[in-house]
Amino acid sequence: MTAQQQSNGTTATPAESAGTRTVRFRIKRQDGPGKPVRWETFNVPVQASSAGSGSANVISCLQWIAANPKTTEGKDSTPVVFDCGCLEEVCGACTMVINGKVRQACSCLMDDYAPNDGDEVMLEPMSKFPVVRDLFVDRRRLFDTLKRVKAWVPIDGTYDLGAGPNETPDDQQDRYRLSTCMSCGCCLEACPQYTLEDDEAKWATSFAGAAVISQVQYFNDHRTGATLKKKRLDEMSKPGGVSDCGNAQNCVQVCPKEIPLTESIGKVGRAVTFHNIRKFFSGS
Amino acid sequence: MSMPSQQQRVIVVGGGLAGLAATIRICESGLPVDLFSLVPVKRSHSVCAQGGINACNEIARQQGYSEYEHFDETVYGGDFLQHQPPVYEMAHMAPRIIDLLDRMGVPFNRTAEGQRDLRLFGGSLYKRTHFAGATTGQQLIYALDEQVRRFESEERVTKWEFWEFLRPIIGDDGRCVGIVAQDMRTMQTRAFRADAVVMATGGCGIVFGKSTNSVMCNGAAASRCYQLGARYGNGEFIQVHPTAIPGADKLRLMSESARGEGGRVWVPGMRNEDGSWGPHPDSARDPRQVPDDERYYFLEEKYPAYGNIVPRDIATREIFQVCMDGLGVGGGNMVYLDLSFKDSEELERKLGGIMEIYRKFAGEDPCEVPMKIFPGVHYSMGGLWTQYQPKDDLRGMEPDSPINMMTNIPGLYAFGEVNYQFHGANRLGANALLSCIFDGLFSGVGVVNHVRNHSGQPASGMSQSVFDSAVKAEEDKIADLTNRSGGENPYVIAKELGEEMTAASTVVKSGPRLEQALGTLGELRDRFGRISLSDGAVWTNQNLSWTRAVGDMIALADVILRGGLERRESRGSHFRTDHPERNDADFLRTTVATYDSGSGQARIEYEPVEIGLVEPRARTYGRVESEESEEKQEQTV
């Protein structure tokens, strides 16, 4: 039950009203894995922002399309499928490629991206993860890789065993910056070494990517977390580990949380080198 | 996927703080857990919590604070509507919860000496809030997510992410023995067996359209339990947070920690001869140009002791009233939340997360100019009704009891925001993260005991028919929704629902307005019967999922409105212009709603509140004009 051809052939223009402009969304759509790709355009009325309303963003426009799924050609279409959650850039769900650049859709404001009547915004799903439908992709590989590198602090259990280790404010600030990673996948989309892998069996040997390498650094930096440091560095020494990084440094450019990803990669890279030298001489 | 298994299992629905804490506790005791979530658990709404988590600590203790004070503040903040033994237990476990989170590696802010830093928060005169920047919820959920990932790698937890909970399965003996869920990618609907089910599905802000909540917080999961016989408690108590920034898609929270760290709330004004304040003719001018004697710091003037950190219901009503009186910025619905006078380096370290949100979404730097804010729907104190086993002296709960936080359906539990316990008529800031984690860790033990000790047949051995008929019921419902063709648009119905709920049932309510809203709700319910889906796909159909939830939101809205109508008093977040006083004689009672499937409406009853530890007192927070009414109220108590 998809598009029903409308006979009049006119462009569906939303009613013009004072303070409203039209933004044209060009959206890459796909009904499911292996299904053909098509492009659809939708005209979305956007209110001029004022104190008290705030700017429209990509999410509010996709919500408008969901309620009014009619293309600019006047064809009945379907709500565009997309992933979102908090809408304030802390959950990491709504990553997509907007005008060719990967970012969170919620913080993508129409005041910046489409300030004038008739401006166009192009939406595509991330290309490094399998498409589920339309703009919704399957990022299980990212979470799977976190398991591989033991991205946790191995506590003795939830019983009352007193406080954790003290740390200096500077150390806390360093760890905090790494801990704001929301597994959104922007750094992976931008990375030339991170490529689409549909085959789950190959995830274990495919490049882990900046987000995960930075988590390795985060946990190795914690006093209790460091008890698994050797195992993490073993993992980082294997195919798909830190040496797969091509040093393009795109990751750090696109990170919405401004996490010093290249710094983490550098630190993990050096730790892996020392780890392997030590292993070579100690034989274990 | 072999369904029948000999092993006992527990299902946890929801992967926020409450669901993850429960999962950890239950796994640790040796039972396998199936964890269901609409989203990858790391993306749950708990990430949005900003300010911190309350617990008594050594510094506060040496200044005269204690766990008992924390308990008392919580009860006073909640206007005495909560059962006291669970709150007592929570406040006393809080310091140990902080220690545990610390051991898990949460990067709590530190003092120069390396101790955990503390800040002030609403409803307390002591620093007892632990925090990690201004993204404390995100940092806590990541720590729990990491521990669950560890169990997952040991195959003790199975995650079912992007699966939607559709209903609890209730066996012939009335026990909950599993759930029906649907894979939102493949659209497969199937039954899962379990000897206990923990609902940890959060709040229902989306019922109000725009709120500070994430998109999945629509209350549908709780509503589905309610529509199958679970009671719903105190539904009318919805917290409206005083400080949010309005947006086209949602209201973005500006944490109470902004005020805890010294932020001041004001509007431009002119002081009249009699000392009262009137609007300033040019109140929209650049706030930086407003001289100090034309700034009306209304919270500080009215509440000299607590100032800007009065509890949320009070701050919200005061901001609302100031705007109703025409004193809002530019005459509109807006007041200033001012941090611009503070040291910007300290602001970044302690509040960086929210400063960034304001910069990104409002386009101005709070280090330079005051933020423009207005109240927004934030948290549901009400939720699924649950039981608990108090200790004989009421000081806490029996830790092993299987009935702790169990709904009226045996084996069906409610943890976290979806549980109506702990917060009464108003939640104190930084108590939500605490209550969510507390539920999981403390009452998770009772879940395990229920599974091990209940006298009925294990779910794994029950006949297939009860599971098949539950799946069939949901498949029929899907077919019914898909086949409707009346042309009504479910998105439009939800938008109208949200607007009406916000207008009638948030900061200020009245009997006639609530009656009117119930009329509107009836119309929306009729129209919902005539909806048409715009997507008939059998793969990843978000249109179907959303539409189904709209029906459940309507059922829950009825609970909220009807509870508000019947409660002819004002208490905490519930303020009735036609009944402005608290009325303990008639309404120091829990509202209990049960679903009438014939009418689709709630039947409201009341039951007593356990107030055996702290006697209710007038709740004024030292408001300057209120001495007189305080005396009056104390006489009636």
Side-chain angles (χ1 to χ4, degrees), chain A residues 1 29 31-33 51-57 59-60 63 66-69 77-93 106-109 112 132-133 136-140 142-144 146-147 150-169 172-173 175-176 179-185 215 218-219 222 224 256-258, chain B residues 24-25 28-29 39-40 42-45 47-48 50 96 99-100 102-116 131-136 138-139 142 145-147 149-150 152-153 161-162 184-185 210 212-216 246-253 333-334 348-349 352-353 356-357 360-363 372 441 489 491-492 533-537 539-543:
Chain A
M1 189 174 80
R29 304 196 61 177
D31 286 342
S53 73
S55 171
N57 58 7
I59 301 293
S60 68
Q63 287 172 338
N68 305 276
S77 185
T78 51
V80 177
V81 173
F82 66 104
D83 201 357
C84 69
C86 72
L87 313 186
E88 50 196 52
E89 211 173 64
V90 284
C91 82
C106 64
S107 61
C108 181
L109 306 183
D112 303 329
V132 178
R133 188 177 167 187
F136 176 26
V137 297
D138 177 359
R139 280 174 278 187
R140 276 179 306 141
L142 172 49
F143 294 107
D144 207 63
L146 287 172
K147 268 193 281 188
K150 301 189 188 298
W152 54 77
V153 173
I155 59 166
D156 285 349
T158 62
Y159 303 95
D160 183 18
L161 300 172
N166 269 14
E167 64 184 337
T168 67
Q172 182 271 342
Q173 286 292 300
R175 287 203 313 120
Y176 178 77
S179 184
T180 56
C181 173
M182 51 190 183
S183 303
C184 67
Q215 289 289 295
Y218 173 67
F219 288 102
H222 184 267
T224 317
K257 294 285 145 186
E258 297 175 25
Chain B
I24 290 166
R25 189 60 123 196
E28 207 170 53
S29 74
V39 296
K42 189 175 180 178
R43 310 201 194 286
S44 302
H45 179 61
V47 296
C48 288
Q50 298 169 343
R96 285 174 283 144
D99 278 350
L100 172 61
D102 194 17
R103 284 171 50 225
M104 286 177 177
V106 172
F108 284 116
N109 275 51
R110 299 283 161 170
T111 63
E113 193 187 317
Q115 309 281 351
R116 291 176 304 223
F131 62 101
T135 63
T136 312
Q138 184 193 37
Q139 298 308 311
Y142 287 2
D145 173 59
E146 288 148 12
Q147 296 300 320
R149 186 167 293 109
R150 180 186 179 194
E152 192 189 12
S153 74
E161 291 170 331
F162 293 114
M184 292 321 300
R185 294 152 300 188
K210 285 195 230 171
T212 65
N213 288 189
S214 297
V215 295
M216 57 281 186
D249 52 341
K250 83 170 295 193
L251 312 174
R252 293 181 175 84
L253 178 66
N333 285 335
M334 201 74 71
E348 282 313 319
R349 195 156 45 80
E356 197 56 32
I357 288 176
K360 278 190 175 161
F361 290 95
K372 298 192 198 90
L441 293 180
N489 185 331
Y491 299 92
V492 173
L533 295 186
S534 52
D535 190 353
W539 178 266
T540 323
N541 188 334
Q542 294 178 334
N543 186 227

Side-chain angles (χ1 to χ4, degrees), chain B residues 314-392:
Chain B
I314 294 173
T316 291
R317 272 194 295 277
E318 295 291 354
I319 291 170
F320 191 81
Q321 192 56 49
V322 152
C323 294
M324 291 300 106
D325 292 345
L327 283 155
V329 176
N333 285 335
M334 201 74 71
V335 302
Y336 290 125
L337 170 55
D338 196 352
L339 284 163
S340 61
F341 59 93
K342 301 270 295 179
D343 173 55
S344 59
E345 199 179 308
E346 186 189 351
L347 288 178
E348 282 313 319
R349 195 156 45 80
K350 292 186 169 174
L351 298 171
I354 61 166
M355 310 292 278
E356 197 56 32
I357 288 176
Y358 195 82
R359 266 182 226 120
K360 278 190 175 161
F361 290 95
E364 289 184 319
D365 187 354
C367 295
E368 302 291 329
V369 290
M371 297 183 273
K372 298 192 198 90
I373 53 95
F374 193 68
V377 167
H378 182 56
Y379 187 88
S380 174
M381 276 72 72
L384 291 170
W385 178 91
T386 54
Q387 318 164 64
Y388 64 94
Q389 183 66 52
K391 287 187 176 148
D392 289 341

Side-chain angles (χ1 to χ4, degrees), chain A residues 11-105:
Chain A
T11 304
T13 41
E16 291 286 330
S17 64
T20 303
R21 65 184 186 275
T22 299
V23 177
R24 176 173 291 217
F25 277 84
R26 205 167 123 69
I27 303 175
K28 189 178 180 182
R29 304 196 61 177
Q30 190 175 347
D31 286 342
K35 297 283 169 60
V37 167
R38 66 180 191 283
W39 288 84
E40 284 184 349
T41 55
F42 299 88
N43 283 342
V44 179
V46 167
Q47 298 288 324
S49 64
S50 60
S53 73
S55 171
N57 58 7
V58 165
I59 301 293
S60 68
C61 292
L62 285 170
Q63 287 172 338
W64 189 89
I65 292 170
N68 305 276
K70 195 175 274 241
T71 67
T72 48
E73 295 83 29
K75 282 186 192 172
D76 284 335
S77 185
T78 51
V80 177
V81 173
F82 66 104
D83 201 357
C84 69
C86 72
L87 313 186
E88 50 196 52
E89 211 173 64
V90 284
C91 82
C94 67
T95 320
M96 53 184 82
V97 178
I98 302 175
N99 291 350
K101 193 181 164 221
V102 69
R103 62 168 298 158
Q104 305 308 118

Side-chain angles (χ1 to χ4, degrees), chain B residues 362-525:
Chain B
E364 289 184 319
D365 187 354
C367 295
E368 302 291 329
V369 290
M371 297 183 273
K372 298 192 198 90
I373 53 95
F374 193 68
V377 167
H378 182 56
Y379 187 88
S380 174
M381 276 72 72
L384 291 170
W385 178 91
T386 54
Q387 318 164 64
Y388 64 94
Q389 183 66 52
K391 287 187 176 148
D392 289 341
D393 61 1
L394 302 178
R395 291 174 176 261
M397 296 188 280
E398 289 297 341
D400 300 335
S401 173
I403 75 159
N404 288 336
M405 306 310 147
M406 187 192 272
T407 67
N408 56 304
I409 298 170
L412 182 67
Y413 292 82
F415 288 3
E417 189 174 347
V418 78
N419 180 6
Y420 92 113
Q421 302 273 7
F422 307 111
H423 307 298
N426 171 64
R427 176 174 68 75
L428 287 190
N431 263 352
L433 298 183
L434 177 62
S435 63
C436 288
I437 298 173
F438 169 75
D439 259 347
L441 293 180
F442 187 88
S443 299
V445 177
V447 174
V448 172
N449 288 335
H450 169 78
V451 170
R452 295 219 164 113
N453 301 333
H454 73 72
S455 53
Q457 199 183 7
S460 58
M462 295 185 83
S463 90
Q464 186 62 30
S465 61
V466 63
F467 301 96
D468 287 346
S469 61
V471 171
K472 171 83 167 42
E474 288 303 325
E475 285 173 346
D476 288 350
K477 191 170 168 185
I478 293 166
D480 170 48
L481 286 172
T482 311
N483 292 334
R484 290 184 200 180
S485 57
E488 288 284 352
N489 185 331
Y491 299 92
V492 173
I493 291 175
K495 184 165 181 284
E496 292 179 21
L497 172 69
E499 286 166 356
E500 182 69 353
M501 291 298 288
T502 301
S505 186
T506 50
V507 185
V508 172
K509 311 177 195 178
S510 74
R513 188 64 187 86
L514 290 166
E515 297 260 21
Q516 185 193 334
L518 279 165
T520 308
L521 191 67
E523 287 162 25
L524 292 172
R525 192 183 290 117

